[in-house]
Each structure stands twice: as C-alpha cells, then as structure tokens.
Amino acid sequence: MEFYGAAGPAPAAERPAVESGYRVDRLLGSGRAGRVWLVGREQDGVRFALKTAAAGSGPAGTFETRRELNIFSRFEHENLLQLYTVLETGHGPGLLSEYAAAGSLARVTAARGTLTPGEAVTVLVGIGSALAYLHGQGVCHGQVTPGNILFTPQGKPLLGDLGTASLFGSGAATDVDMSEAQQSIPGAPRNEPPAGSAGDVRALAAVGWLALTGNAVPPV
C-alpha cells in the first residue's frame, strides 16, 4: 500500500477504537491493503503510525498482521521503518510502527515537483542501502514506490511497508507460513541475491528519475 497516501487529503474513515494507553488522532493514508493512522501514546505523547489491514478483524487480517510483525521486526537498518508491536483495535489487530513525520516522497514531489540533486542522492543512497540489506537477508521488498519512501523530520529517508515483502528460498519467490519464516535467520550467508531483487533496483531507479525530473519513467 502507499504508506502515507498519495498527494492530497486522506479519505474520510471511521477512527478505530484502540486498546487502553493509546489514542487515534487522524488517518494518514490508505490503500487496498489497509489504512494507516496517526496514534499517540497517552503516557508520554510519543506518536506512532498504526496500520490496520483491509481484512479487518477476521482471521485473515489477524494472521497477516502478526505474520508481518513476526518476520520483519527482526530486520534492523537505519533506513528501514521500525516495527514495534501489535495493538488490538476496533478494526482488527493493527501494526504499530515508527512515525515518519515529514511524510512521503510522493507528497514531496507532488508539492515541489522535483528534488535537488543532493536531496535525490540522499534518498537513493539511503533506500539503496536498505534494499541491499534486505536482499542480503533473502528478502525482496516488491513495492519500492514514492508513497513507501518516508522521511523523518531531519530528512532521513525510510523504506516502509515491509508487509509487501517476500522471503525467498532456493532462488525463487515463495509465500511462506510462520514455520518457514521462523527458519529464516537474518544474517545467514547467502550465495546469490534473492530472485526479484532486480525489480527492486529498477523500481529505485524509477524513483530517482521521478525525484530529478518530476515525471514517471517514460515507456520503452
């Protein structure tokens, strides 16, 4: 999904009730996979992003949310959006993550048109480093888009929405269940990059083109 939405206001939606200790402030963005909400922790006011699945409170939504946390919370890189825990909500379980308060690259380019060359380098180097890390763990992101590239208030780029990612076995993309995911050990040596990693690289190149020109890559 586009993590903080495309440019423009997010569509109206009913705020989900959340477990004690947190409050939902507003909708940040939405997509086919679900919605992302801004939430605050009442104890200290720290803000987070909360993603609720489109599948809602049914078994599919519960399984996918907990699967995402179980797999991807183990991956740590300075340019990956950090995942924290699962909160119970009125829309089903929600995945609590770091809040990138400066929004997405999609919003920035929609407002400004282009980035400066220096800004574009900062984005491409940071997200490229995160992708190299994921590929080294046998993971392909699969949705490297301007909406999934987020910024901290200091301007550091973060790659979000790891729920779209896939783990890879012997050179081929596979959907994995919990038992397979638990057998994938971050840091284990791998002889080849995961199948599909070239698609991440091409997507990052398209992001760079957009950032520098303000336009999508023209069709070949």
Side-chain angles (χ1 to χ4, degrees):
M1 64 181 290
E2 296 296 298
F3 215 76
Y4 289 179
E14 181 184 354
R15 297 183 189 184
V18 294
E19 62 184 69
S20 178
Y22 294 87
R23 68 179 185 279
V24 176
D25 291 332
R26 60 184 172 88
L27 181 66
L28 292 171
S30 62
R32 288 177 297 178
R35 293 189 173 105
V36 180
W37 304 86
L38 177 63
V39 303
R41 188 165 57 197
E42 294 176 342
Q43 177 183 4
D44 52 16
V46 174
R47 296 190 295 176
F48 303 90
L50 178 69
K51 185 172 72 172
T52 56
S57 58
T62 300
F63 173 80
E64 181 59 30
T65 299
R66 296 194 182 280
R67 171 185 181 274
E68 185 174 341
L69 179 67
N70 181 71
I71 297 172
F72 297 115
S73 63
R74 295 175 293 164
F75 298 146
E76 295 183 1
H77 187 278
E78 63 175 337
N79 296 106
L80 286 178
L81 194 74
Q82 188 172 356
L83 307 181
Y84 295 120
T85 189
V86 172
L87 291 186
E88 295 302 325
T89 83
H91 294 178
L95 185 62
L96 196 71
S97 69
E98 180 180 1
Y99 171 50
S104 70
L105 180 61
R107 288 182 181 269
V108 172
T109 54
R112 291 178 42 187
T114 62
L115 304 185
T116 67
E119 290 170 336
V121 167
T122 297
V123 171
L124 296 176
V125 169
I127 301 304
S129 178
L131 288 174
Y133 168 78
L134 289 176
H135 295 168
Q137 310 305 317
V139 175
C140 176
H141 187 276
Q143 286 291 329
V144 182
T145 66
N148 286 333
I149 295 174
L150 311 171
F151 296 101
T152 68
Q154 294 74 35
K156 182 171 73 172
L158 301 172
L159 182 60
D161 209 11
L162 277 173
T164 63
S166 297
L167 298 179
F168 293 87
S170 53
T174 55
D175 291 328
V176 295
D177 60 21
M178 281 294 192
S179 61
E180 291 172 321
Q182 291 165 351
Q183 293 169 16
S184 177
I185 307 300
R190 297 179 184 271
N191 295 326
E192 299 178 356
S197 59
D200 282 347
V201 175
R202 288 192 295 270
L204 183 60
V207 165
W209 181 280
L210 173 70
L212 290 170
T213 69
N215 299 306
V217 175
V220 178

